[in-house]
Amino acid sequence: MEALAVRLSHLDSEAGGAIRVVMFYDTLMRRRVDLPALARASAGLAECVAGIRLHGTGRTIRMSPDGREASAPPLPASTTEPITLDEEEIGTVWLERPGPPNPLDEVLLDRLAIAAAGVVERYGPARTTMADPALIELVISSENDDAARARALRLLGFAAGMPVRVVAVRSRLPLDQVSGLVCPARLVKAAPVADVGVILATTMDPARFPAGVHAGIGAAESPERSWREARTALRFATPRRPVVHYADLGVLALLAEVPQDAARDNADVIAIARIAGNPEDVDTLDVYCATGSLRRAADLLHLHHSSVARRLDHLGRTLGIDLTDPVGLTRARLALIAWRLLDD
């Protein structure tokens, strides 16, 4: 390996040096080295600390030119390059060179990133987020047997017997970006299926869903059931409550089972449809139903409580429901939810 490694500081020309760098990494890839060996060789070639970080696992490797793990605090990266696999950024490589970058650092990092992607793809399931939609469908479909589902999970990288939770997502952000945020250091796989995004993970942080994303989180450990629950929970997501756990719905989940024709014919749902053209009225009713308190609703709506009281009085007459009565408040809340579930 040293025979091919011509020190960057001794290269006669950038063109010749670039060819030598390419040859160096071609040799490493033929030898099927792992990530630590790749970082070690890169640090020796560059004569400075070289680093590799994978987003999916959170794994970071820093090697010094002497071939040992870098123990000194990291310097600011002088040059960086993303690791890309299947058109997804899965990590980063960098050099920690004191002073300005060398002329061939960009070529070196480009080849290091390509080699790192090859190593990730070769050793075990690729730690990319995006997966083959066909494999995801095999996991979540209730029509497949357990053997087919287990085989698909293994191909996606999930160990046998590992509980997998399913999340249904609607988002304008790229699905791999959303998945990476909620599962920053765990195995996560995602793919679009039908009209929604599907995320498979063993654990996640629901608080990390970015603004504007609606998500339904299944409660069951079996993926096919968790998928049904996640789809149901997603139907209940609103701008005010964008992330919904199926387990938190309780008896409300039964509303998703009501035939839509029956819901449309219900007098309370028809009444909600009458005010649907006025977002201000719907928002006021939504907040009041959620809080059950005039003053709390006024705080959330940033209005004086007397203004909210007038709105609710008008809404009560329009709906034909006494919103000051606990039964009437329950009717209004259930009707509002049932109306939102129509054609969802």
Side-chain angles (χ1 to χ4, degrees):
M1 188 177 299
E2 285 297 324
L4 289 175
V6 178
R7 300 294 182 182
L8 296 179
S9 58
H10 297 154
L11 291 174
D12 295 331
S13 69
E14 289 189 24
I19 292 173
R20 293 174 187 271
V21 170
V22 171
M23 292 173 59
F24 178 77
Y25 282 100
D26 283 350
T27 299
L28 291 177
M29 294 175 74
R30 283 197 299 271
R31 293 184 178 183
R32 304 172 74 87
V33 298
D34 58 13
L35 289 178
L38 190 58
R40 184 179 300 110
S42 299
L45 180 62
E47 296 185 314
C48 68
V49 172
I52 301 173
R53 179 182 296 110
L54 299 181
H55 299 329
T57 62
R59 183 184 184 189
T60 298
I61 302 169
R62 293 175 63 242
M63 290 293 181
S64 298
D66 62 6
R68 300 176 182 177
E69 290 190 17
S71 57
L75 296 173
S78 56
T79 320
T80 64
E81 183 74 18
I83 304 171
T84 304
L85 182 59
D86 296 333
E87 300 183 357
E88 179 191 347
E89 183 178 325
I90 64 167
T92 307
V93 295
W94 70 91
L95 297 178
E96 299 174 18
R97 185 183 300 286
N102 278 3
L104 291 176
D105 282 0
E106 185 176 344
V107 176
L108 186 153
L109 281 180
D110 179 68
R111 301 305 298 181
L112 173 56
I114 292 172
V119 173
V120 171
E121 187 173 31
R122 183 183 306 125
Y123 290 103
R127 295 295 180 175
T128 54
T129 298
M130 298 306 292
D132 184 346
L135 282 178
I136 297 288
E137 288 195 72
L138 280 173
V139 171
I140 63 178
S141 175
S142 59
E143 298 178 359
N144 295 315
D145 57 35
D146 290 340
R149 184 172 295 106
R151 189 161 48 249
L153 284 169
R154 284 197 304 272
L155 290 172
L156 289 169
F158 294 98
M162 181 182 294
V164 177
R165 178 164 292 186
V166 184
V167 184
V169 174
R170 284 200 177 97
S171 170
R172 293 183 180 179
L173 294 175
L175 189 56
D176 63 309
Q177 182 178 338
V178 175
S179 303
L181 287 171
V182 298
C183 304
R186 299 281 185 174
L187 176 61
V188 56
K189 294 294 179 179
V193 174
D195 59 335
V196 299
V198 182
I199 298 175
L200 303 181
T202 54
T203 59
M204 68 185 65
D205 184 356
R208 294 176 62 91
F209 277 105
V213 173
H214 285 190
I217 302 176
E221 292 185 354
S222 58
E224 71 278 14
R225 182 174 177 182
S226 187
W227 167 239
R228 292 195 302 271
E229 295 175 348
R231 285 297 300 266
T232 297
L234 180 61
R235 295 179 64 191
F236 287 82
T238 66
R240 193 174 299 280
R241 189 188 181 192
V243 179
V244 178
H245 293 256
Y246 181 85
D248 293 339
L249 290 174
V251 72
L252 292 178
L254 294 177
L255 289 175
E257 307 298 326
V258 175
Q260 296 212 346
D261 287 343
R264 284 194 183 90
D265 290 340
N266 181 269
D268 287 349
V269 177
I270 292 172
I272 293 293
R274 285 200 299 268
I275 68 168
N278 189 333
E280 186 178 85
D281 285 346
V282 174
D283 196 37
T284 300
L285 183 63
D286 182 28
V287 175
Y288 180 65
C289 286
T291 62
S293 165
L294 182 63
R295 292 190 178 275
R296 180 61 181 150
D299 290 342
L300 293 175
L301 292 167
H302 305 292
L303 295 170
H304 193 273
H305 68 273
S306 61
S307 299
V308 176
R310 285 193 295 272
R311 285 190 189 182
L312 291 173
D313 183 64
H314 167 72
L315 284 169
R317 291 196 304 271
T318 303
L319 297 173
I321 298 175
D322 182 3
L323 297 176
T324 64
D325 177 70
V327 175
L329 184 60
T330 300
R331 284 176 53 190
R333 185 186 181 202
L334 294 178
L336 184 59
I337 294 173
W339 170 76
R340 281 182 168 145
L341 292 175
L342 292 176
D343 299 320
D344 187 77

